[in-house]
Amino acid sequence: MRSSFRPLVSALILALAVSSCAQIPTATITPEALRTHVQYLASDQLEGRGTPSRGQDMATDYIAAQFRKAGLEPAGDDGYFQTANWQYAERKAGDVNLNITANGNTVSVPAGGATGNFLDAVALANTPAVFMSWKDALENSEAANGKVLVVPAAPVPGAARQLQEKLKSKPALVIMLDREKRHGAGTGGWLVNPEQAVVKGAPPVLVLHAPNPADILERGGATVNVQVAAASVRPVKLRNVIGVLRGSDPSLKNTYVLMTAHHDHVGIRDGEVYNGANDDASGVVSVIEAASQLASRKERPRRSIVFMTFFGEELGMLGSKYYARHPVFPLKDTVVNINLEQTGRTDDSEGKQENSIAMTGFDFSTLGGMLKKSADQTGVRLWKHASFSDAFFSRADNQSLADVGVPAHTLSVAYGFPDYHGKDDTWDKLDYENMARVTRMLAQGVFDVANDTASPAWTDAPKAANYAAKGRALKAAN
Ligand SMILES: [Zn+2]
């Protein structure tokens, strides 16, 4: 029995060996592996991965270790790290002293009630304050010359800088009211990007969070006493993590498919760790497992695949913008950016989302059509959300690449979910079975796109017109 059994066993082993060669995937993406990564990246130990923080450094160390384990080639200036040498500026709560006097009464703003992301010291005594709408402040603010210009909360992010750039008058100080603390409050410091010059000659902007003094300033007729100490500044290293899997085609390997996600989250607030498991540890972990799966295959796609995670998305897509200004691989040879956000949770506020993945800017490029094959193969529905597809295009890191002309989209399982930017976005709320299916689809999709001799292109959708023009300029600069 035994001897006659042997040839059969060898034949079986041979058959298995042959079939595992033909059947490309050698490593599989498992729910367990995804869970293990998310549990670490979203653990309290990583402190919510704020930019900058020790917890975020631990996260980037971990991601780099996973890229190394997968066998990706390091593509940063420091191994897998692309380093941005920025500064971190801080003031203690007591460094801002602001008193407001109206009708003979003086109100002191409590410590932490006013903050300002400027470096220099300010000292003003008994200076009249003038309240204006944003429209007046931008168009005719002459009445605020030499005084304190008070404006409501910024209508859009970046409005304060816009005001500094457009101001025709010379106020001594701008106070922006921000009762809802939308623009950061308390003792946290701020990042200084040495590439972004301060607006020459512009007045400093102090943001006032305390409601009562804000009411007094809004009523008008107040004078202001203010002493702000100079900020303390220290150097800080921010890191994108970048690894590459080289393509197989002699010429197409010098073109690149970018698969990305952001590794930062919002850090610690009022002593609570905001773990950011779905936003966006999930996307990072999908990138890690897709990288490891694709690197383990015998077959390489024609084009190279770059796997990258970004810092500072939550503070305004800082890491992806940094990459777009300092691309490691030429942008003109970068054929697409496939960015991942929120790949873990299925409990979408609009209803459960299983076996499906939504893409922003769905009609802006031909990428959707190119991902159809992997979607069909894996039974994952690739879909367009009627309103969010366009509306959320500019809300994630893909925007930074689109702005320089590279077709770029973000893919997500769920958009709104109950703990979005809350302290309870924790690892245990993710659906890892579903995440594994979706990540397999994404890995195969990235492979297919990288293996295609045709590259994704912007369409003639009106909302994509500016990006398409940038894309043409990028290619023309060749
Ligand atoms: Zn977020």
Side-chain angles (χ1 to χ4, degrees), residues 262 264-266 279-280 313-314 341-342 395 420-421 425:
H262 71 89
D264 70 302
H265 193 55
V266 301
D279 178 12
D280 189 24
E313 190 273 348
E314 304 287 6
E341 279 263 6
Q342 305 181 179
R395 298 263 299 267
Y420 175 76
H421 277 209
D425 177 9

Side-chain angles (χ1 to χ4, degrees), residues 176-198:
M176 187 168 84
L177 307 182
D178 180 36
R179 297 175 182 88
E180 287 87 32
K181 299 190 177 183
R182 281 191 287 149
H183 300 281
T187 51
W190 67 98
L191 286 164
V192 181
N193 172 3
E195 293 174 298
Q196 186 179 44
V198 292

Side-chain angles (χ1 to χ4, degrees), residues 20-226:
S20 72
C21 276
Q23 194 187 25
I24 310 155
T26 38
T28 48
I29 293 166
T30 65
E32 293 71 30
L34 297 168
R35 185 190 293 113
T36 303
H37 295 314
V38 175
Q39 258 186 300
Y40 177 71
L41 291 174
S43 63
D44 284 354
Q45 201 190 351
L46 267 64
E47 301 171 343
R49 309 185 306 279
T51 306
S53 67
R54 188 186 61 131
Q56 186 175 126
D57 289 345
M58 290 167 74
T60 49
D61 283 343
Y62 183 85
I63 297 160
Q66 297 304 318
F67 282 4
R68 183 177 298 112
K69 200 172 141 198
L72 302 185
E73 192 183 307
D77 53 276
D78 174 18
Y80 291 95
F81 303 126
Q82 178 183 42
T83 318
N85 289 298
W86 287 18
Q87 291 167 326
Y88 193 71
E90 270 178 300
R91 267 191 196 94
K92 293 188 289 295
D95 287 351
V96 178
N97 291 291
L98 176 62
N99 299 311
I100 296 157
T101 304
N103 304 320
N105 295 320
T106 297
V107 173
S108 296
V109 174
T115 53
N117 293 0
F118 53 88
L119 300 179
D120 296 337
V122 174
L124 294 174
N126 302 318
T127 309
V130 185
F131 179 78
M132 280 185 193
S133 69
W134 275 90
K135 189 174 183 296
D136 285 342
L138 285 164
E139 288 167 11
N140 46 10
S141 58
E142 284 73 18
N145 257 332
K147 298 177 181 166
V148 175
L149 169 62
V150 183
V151 290
V156 289
R161 187 175 172 94
Q162 198 192 358
L163 176 66
Q164 286 184 317
E165 284 165 356
K166 289 193 174 166
L167 258 185
K168 294 183 190 85
S169 62
K170 290 249 170 249
L173 175 73
V174 174
I175 294 182
M176 187 168 84
L177 307 182
D178 180 36
R179 297 175 182 88
E180 287 87 32
K181 299 190 177 183
R182 281 191 287 149
H183 300 281
T187 51
W190 67 98
L191 286 164
V192 181
N193 172 3
E195 293 174 298
Q196 186 179 44
V198 292
V199 185
K200 267 213 167 77
V205 178
L206 205 56
V207 184
L208 178 59
H209 314 288
N212 186 30
D215 293 345
I216 298 170
L217 285 173
E218 207 168 53
R219 280 196 291 271
T223 57
V224 167
N225 277 288
V226 60

Side-chain angles (χ1 to χ4, degrees), residues 29 257 259-260 282-283 285-287 289-291 293-294 297 305 307 338-344 356-359 367 371 374-375 378 380 382 410-413 434-450:
I29 293 166
V257 170
M259 189 185 204
T260 61
S282 68
V285 167
S286 288
V287 169
E289 282 300 293
Q293 208 266 350
L294 293 172
R297 293 184 183 194
I305 305 175
F307 300 91
I338 296 174
N339 183 56
L340 308 183
E341 279 263 6
Q342 305 181 179
T343 55
S356 62
I357 188 119
M359 186 169 94
L367 178 65
L371 292 175
S374 68
T378 54
V380 171
L382 176 69
T410 292
L411 289 104
S412 310
V413 169
N434 189 73
M435 187 176 168
R437 288 192 292 272
V438 164
T439 305
R440 285 181 208 123
M441 175 263 163
L442 292 166
Q444 186 58 42
V446 164
F447 182 94
D448 291 343
V449 172

